[in-house]
């Protein structure tokens, strides 16, 4: 169905002032409100249409976008765009309530009835580099609610039981008829006698003070999979706050924080490190002992190895969290440690060495004399 022009819907002119828009909406919303037209689908559709039109035209920014682009201003699929769309699921009751005030006792908003599920609990745990790489089990302390063992969650003192609420007949909700500007209206409200629970506890359980739950510190064993990375979150199902009787508990959400390693640095599934070698080792070649997640590994560097030379130890990285058999690699970047605080003897050996080899940097600087030649 073609969307009607918002001004047309509200039966106002393009230049209408804010007060006129509000007045027009009041008139039409009153006429089409579902409570004034029970089981009338056409009226309900009209009510939605006028509310949507009012939602846009009563907002300065949205109205300007609408005046410029028409309905396509709010078209999520693109179109003339320029406005980025707005939430199509706006709350009619909020808009209606903001214009009419709370005439329906709760604005028509209905409290969700029935037992409520438990909330999730969020916690962060620290693990070492190795624990994250290979996985581990951790016992953690979680402060959570638990069903009261004395009343088993029904909130009543043992030997007594909750009685059905006489005001709502156990339904938790009551229908009220109110005289409003729209005439007599029926609306559903949460029962104030039992707060929507349908039951009343005459003698509360002393252990939980009638809450049905108590707070405890629980020990939860968490299995941390190999390959987990910093900032990732694990969901432990059912270890959150306890729910009402008949509703499921929440989950425990654990965010992983990895302690930095002294030598190794993680980049995805690969591991990086910088390996110091002496000038003599680099010049002569040497067998190095390189720390890896699997312990020290021997690796021979060639004579004449330069600083920043990087070599790869295949399969010495972090296992993939999806497939343990796949592991990343370890990259080792060599850097040469230049000796400091030389003794006289060491200096004289090095001078002799330099005289013997000549300036070894000459080869690398070939052609530099022409770099900044004057024109
Ligand atoms: Zn209790
Ligand atoms: Zn009640």
């Amino acid at each position: 169905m073609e969307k009607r022009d918002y001004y047309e819907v509200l039966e106002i002119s393009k230049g209408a002032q804010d007060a006129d828009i509000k007045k027009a909406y009041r008139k039409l919303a009153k006429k089409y409100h579902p409570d004034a037209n029970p089981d009338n689908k056409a009226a309900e559709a009209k009510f939605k249409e006028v509310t949507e039109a009012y939602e846009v035209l009563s907002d300065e920014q949205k109205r300007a976008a609408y005046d410029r682009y028409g309905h396509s201003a709010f078209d999520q699929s693109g179109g003339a765009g320029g406005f980025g769309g707005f939430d199509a699921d706006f709350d009619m009751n909020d808009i209606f309530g903001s214009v009419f005030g709370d005439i329906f006792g709760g604005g028509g908003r209905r409290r969700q009835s029935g037992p409520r599920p438990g909330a999730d609990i969020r916690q962060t745990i620290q693990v070492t580099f190795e624990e994250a790489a290979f996985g581990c089990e951790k016992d953690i302390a979680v402060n959570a609610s638990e069903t009261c063992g004395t009343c088993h969650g029904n909130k009543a003192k043992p030997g007594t039981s909750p009685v059905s609420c006489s005001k709502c007949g156990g339904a938790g909700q009551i229908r009220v008829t109110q005289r409003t500007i729209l005439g007599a209206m029926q609306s559903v409200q949460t029962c104030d006698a039992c707060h929507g629970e349908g039951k009343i506890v005459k003698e509360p359980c002393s252990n939980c003070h009638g809450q049905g739950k108590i707070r405890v510190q629980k020990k939860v064993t968490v299995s941390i999979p190999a390959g987990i990375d910093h900032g990732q979150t694990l969901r432990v199902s059912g270890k959150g706050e306890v729910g009402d009787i008949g509703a499921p508990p929440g989950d425990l959400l654990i965010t992983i924080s990895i302690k930095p390693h002294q030598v190794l640095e993680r980049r995805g599934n690969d591991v990086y490190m910088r390996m110091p070698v002496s000038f003599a080792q680099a010049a002569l070649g040497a067998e190095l002992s390189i720390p890896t997640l699997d312990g020290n590994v021997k690796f021979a560097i060639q004579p004449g190895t330069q600083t920043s030379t990087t070599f790869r130890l295949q399969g010495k990285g972090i296992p993939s969290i999806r497939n343990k058999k796949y592991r990343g690699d370890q990259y080792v970047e060599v850097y040469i440690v230049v000796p400091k605080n030389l003794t006289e003897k060491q200096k004289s050996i090095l001078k002799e060495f330099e005289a013997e080899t000549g300036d070894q940097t000459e080869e690398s600087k070939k052609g530099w004399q022409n770099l900044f030649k004057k024109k």
Side-chain angles (χ1 to χ4, degrees):
M1 201 181 74
E2 189 73 13
K3 247 184 155 139
R4 286 207 298 149
D5 178 73
Y6 286 149
Y7 292 97
E8 199 183 303
V9 169
L10 290 180
E11 299 165 10
I12 50 176
S13 68
K14 293 256 185 223
Q17 301 290 306
D18 287 354
D20 301 331
I21 297 171
K22 195 165 182 169
K23 208 169 128 192
Y25 175 63
R26 271 176 164 270
K27 189 183 88 187
L28 293 165
K30 203 162 138 179
K31 188 167 156 193
Y32 296 122
H33 194 280
D35 285 355
N37 301 271
D39 302 320
N40 183 339
K41 290 273 166 226
E44 195 185 320
K46 285 267 187 200
F47 179 69
K48 280 187 183 155
E49 194 183 26
V50 297
T51 304
E52 185 184 316
Y54 176 72
E55 208 266 339
V56 170
L57 298 184
S58 62
D59 180 309
E60 200 184 323
Q61 223 184 359
K62 287 177 187 169
R63 186 178 175 184
Y66 177 73
D67 286 345
R68 195 154 172 207
Y69 301 109
H71 288 299
S72 61
F74 312 108
D75 185 358
Q76 305 278 4
S77 62
F83 189 72
F86 76 104
D87 186 7
D89 298 322
F90 58 87
D91 192 327
M92 300 243 220
N93 288 316
D94 281 355
I95 293 157
F96 192 78
S98 71
V99 175
F100 289 92
D102 192 20
I103 57 167
F104 295 105
R109 186 190 291 275
R110 274 152 216 187
R111 177 187 178 272
Q112 210 165 350
S113 58
R116 278 163 302 179
D120 291 339
I121 296 175
R122 292 175 180 277
Q123 222 155 300
T124 298
I125 60 170
Q126 249 202 355
V127 296
T128 65
F129 196 86
E130 293 87 340
E131 284 171 335
F134 296 122
C136 63
E137 295 225 315
K138 284 261 168 194
D139 287 337
I140 60 169
V142 180
N143 285 309
S145 56
E146 194 175 73
T147 303
C148 172
T150 305
C151 64
H152 305 288
N154 81 3
K155 305 175 184 178
K157 191 172 164 183
T160 72
S161 10
V163 293
S164 185
C165 174
S166 56
K167 187 164 181 185
C168 62
Q173 293 182 328
I174 43 172
R175 285 196 156 269
V176 284
T177 306
Q178 281 179 300
R179 291 176 59 83
T180 72
I181 52 162
L182 315 188
M185 289 206 163
Q186 277 222 322
S187 67
V188 175
Q189 289 183 12
T190 299
C191 173
D192 56 351
C194 64
H195 306 288
E197 297 195 357
K199 284 177 188 161
I200 290 184
V201 174
K202 290 257 161 78
E203 287 180 83
C205 165
S206 56
N207 186 44
C208 63
H209 308 288
Q211 298 299 305
K213 307 163 186 179
I214 45 168
R215 289 208 78 77
V216 289
Q217 194 177 70
K218 289 195 272 198
K219 193 188 86 174
V220 177
T221 304
V222 185
S223 171
I224 294 164
I228 196 148
D229 209 346
H230 188 80
Q232 288 183 316
T233 298
L234 296 170
R235 180 178 288 269
V236 188
S237 183
K239 296 291 184 189
E241 305 283 3
V242 74
D244 289 344
I245 295 174
D251 297 335
L252 175 61
L253 300 171
I254 304 212
T255 302
I256 302 295
S257 168
I258 302 178
K259 284 181 218 162
H261 191 272
Q262 200 189 339
V263 177
L264 305 176
E265 186 197 325
R266 180 167 169 172
R267 296 182 198 168
N269 286 319
D270 293 331
V271 166
Y272 282 73
M273 72 166 290
R274 295 184 78 227
M275 182 76 193
V277 296
S278 71
F279 164 71
Q281 286 173 323
L284 302 172
E287 189 177 71
L288 306 176
S289 180
I290 296 171
T292 75
L293 282 167
D294 300 318
N296 286 348
V297 164
K298 302 257 179 261
F299 187 87
I301 54 166
Q302 297 302 306
T305 293
Q306 303 294 318
T307 250
S308 294
T309 301
T310 300
F311 54 87
R312 184 168 69 125
L313 301 174
Q314 203 176 357
K316 293 292 178 199
I318 313 275
S320 160
I321 195 166
R322 286 181 206 88
N323 177 7
K324 261 192 199 178
K325 285 182 199 149
Y326 167 79
R327 276 180 73 176
D329 303 326
Q330 178 166 335
Y331 291 88
V332 181
E333 183 186 337
V334 167
Y335 70 98
I336 292 157
V337 178
V338 176
K340 286 188 271 191
N341 306 320
L342 299 174
T343 63
E344 286 309 316
K345 186 181 175 192
Q346 290 162 341
K347 282 181 193 168
S348 91
I349 292 169
L350 272 183
K351 278 176 190 162
E352 201 180 317
F353 174 79
E354 184 80 349
E356 177 66 25
T357 57
D359 185 349
Q360 292 280 303
T361 66
E362 280 306 327
E363 178 68 17
S364 307
K365 295 190 290 194
K366 227 178 184 175
W368 283 21
Q369 57 271 33
N370 298 322
L371 271 181
F372 304 109
K373 238 185 184 172
K374 279 184 185 160
K375 280 177 187 159

